[in-house]
Amino acid sequence: MDTNVDVIVIGAGITGLVTTFLLKEKGVNVLLIEKNTRAGGQLCTVNDDGFLFESGPNTGVVANKDVLDLFNQLGDECTLQTARKESKVRLIWKNGRFCPLPSGLADAVTTPLFSWHDKIRILFEPFRPKGNDPFESIASLTRRRLGKSFLNYAVDPFISGIYAGDPEILVTRFAMPKLYNLEHHYGSFIRGAIKRHPVLAEERKQGISKEIFSVKGGFKNLVSTLENRITPTHLRLGAGKIQIEPVENGWKVVLPATGESYFTPRLISTVPAYALPELFPFIEENKLHPITSLVYAPVVQVGVGMYNGSLIPQAFGGLVPSCEHEKILGVLFNSSCYDDRAPLGAASLSFFIGGMRHPEWVNLPEEEMVAIVTDALHRMLGYPLGTAPDKIHIFPHPRAIPQYQADTEQRLNTVCQLEKKYAGLVLAGSLRDGIGLADRIKQATQLASL
Ligand SMILES: Cc1cc2nc3c(=O)[nH]c(=O)nc-3n(C[C@H](O)[C@H](O)[C@H](O)COP(=O)(O)OP(=O)(O)OC[C@H]3O[C@@H](n4cnc5c(N)ncnc54)[C@H](O)[C@@H]3O)c2cc1C
């Protein structure tokens, strides 16, 4: 006999955990099934002798109300941490030193990051004609409206920091929809920013600060709080290869590891695009291909602990533009943002290597990763030559971040077609609707409200 459940959610990353938690809070009989023995997906925190390292995301952005609502619902069990005010500064590597990314008009005029030509040119941005290519890349849009130096020393490193991606390939409409809409709706970034000022002020009043956030004790505490609130009755970890079959009015889901068998009218997948063929072997390969062809940037995150933290700037981190031809994509100064990331006086850092710039570097031997980080500690952060990391944790992610390229529209159409063909099926997760933690929480909130 199959056990009936209202909804089955597959994949216990942040999307699946939050969807299940919110459904359960509403009294829905929901079951979350995870292949691995651990929940959290890309969220994973490692503690080492007072240092705290994240293997996946270090921070999210308070970009929408759903983030705040989630933490309000979780209450004291899981404390949202916003970064210290002084650590807001973003540094950009240029000509052998880190320079602050301008945060106001005065800084923008004096910064060495942008050329004088582009600084003057930006005054005419509101009068530049609107683009008409819906598939225009982020690089092309930036060059057209702001100039090459803004692309090289602001947008390129920024895109590298979010997507580990290539702005020449990522399509603005899909990867940076807010930027696309500024030009599309208001004809100009500057005009759009001015017109949207009251909207942003209203959002700020509601607590949508756009500040970066983490969780006290690291994201593993968000995962464990959600797991506790979901309770073991509604969660199956270590399910291994599950069997899914469309049946009349719904879905049959079997967990061969335990012999459990379920019927549900609604099946929500939150697994990455490349994991879909294993879940849905009855869907022909060519029908799934527009989804499974989604490219993921490979990234290595190297968590480094230094007992002498005095050399680390009071900043969020430093990003390295591709035109500087360095071996790291950037470095986050986690202990400059949050108190609990390192012992007093020490520093916890995250270096990023690879991305779409050098996807092959995800396979570098460990000693080369250590050498890259040791070199960056000396040349970029001022540690004496040859100073080795006191702590080091290497986290390779062969398929880290989805790249929303020109094939996105076809992927989204295929998702719609499959959801139409298979009643009750929802294909969610970061293969659509954004890659950031705030996007994931927003999608989960929407899934739980349908
Ligand atoms: C190195 C790195 C740094 C990042 N930095 C940031 C950042 O600073 N800020 C930010 O906002 N975002 C960041 N991200 C992105 C963010 O972490 C992800 O978008 C988010 O965690 C994805 O969550 P998810 O639940 O959609 O997917 P996942 O976390 O991938 O979860 C999917 C789950 O599905 C499970 N699964 C797969 N196949 C099956 C199957 N057949 N059956 C059952 N379960 C299955 C997996 O085991 C996994 O647990 C980063 C990501 C990485 C890798």
Side-chain angles (χ1 to χ4, degrees), residues 107-152:
D107 300 349
V109 174
T110 54
T111 181
L113 290 174
F114 311 130
S115 68
W116 274 109
H117 176 264
D118 286 348
K119 285 179 194 172
I120 294 167
R121 205 172 163 265
I122 203 169
L123 297 173
F124 301 96
E125 192 274 339
F127 310 104
R128 222 150 271 144
K130 202 161 110 172
N132 54 13
D133 175 6
F135 296 97
E136 186 172 26
S137 72
I138 296 172
S140 161
L141 174 75
T142 312
R143 254 191 309 265
R144 189 165 54 73
R145 297 211 71 85
L146 302 176
K148 195 171 158 206
S149 64
F150 280 92
L151 169 63
N152 287 348

Side-chain angles (χ1 to χ4, degrees), residues 217-254:
F219 280 118
K220 73 164 189 229
N221 285 355
L222 174 60
V223 173
S224 61
T225 307
L226 286 165
E227 265 189 273
N228 290 342
R229 296 288 288 270
I230 289 168
T231 74
T233 315
H234 298 273
L235 176 62
R236 294 290 176 277
L237 295 178
K241 192 171 173 176
I242 60 182
Q243 290 166 5
I244 297 178
E245 190 192 333
V247 292
E248 204 182 335
N249 298 324
W251 298 86
K252 184 182 170 84
V253 178
V254 178

Side-chain angles (χ1 to χ4, degrees), residues 10-16 33-36 38 40-43 55-61 240 242 270-272 275 278-279 299 301 352 397 400-401 429-430 435-438 440:
I10 315 274
I14 182 79
T15 314
I33 304 174
E34 165 60 45
K35 181 180 180 148
N36 289 328
R38 181 188 71 78
Q42 293 187 333
L43 301 187
S55 142
N58 287 278
T59 57
V61 178
I242 60 182
T270 69
V271 307
E278 181 183 306
L279 274 187
V299 176
Q301 177 163 195
F352 294 88
H397 297 271
I401 318 250
S430 62
I435 58 128
L437 291 177
R440 303 291 80 242

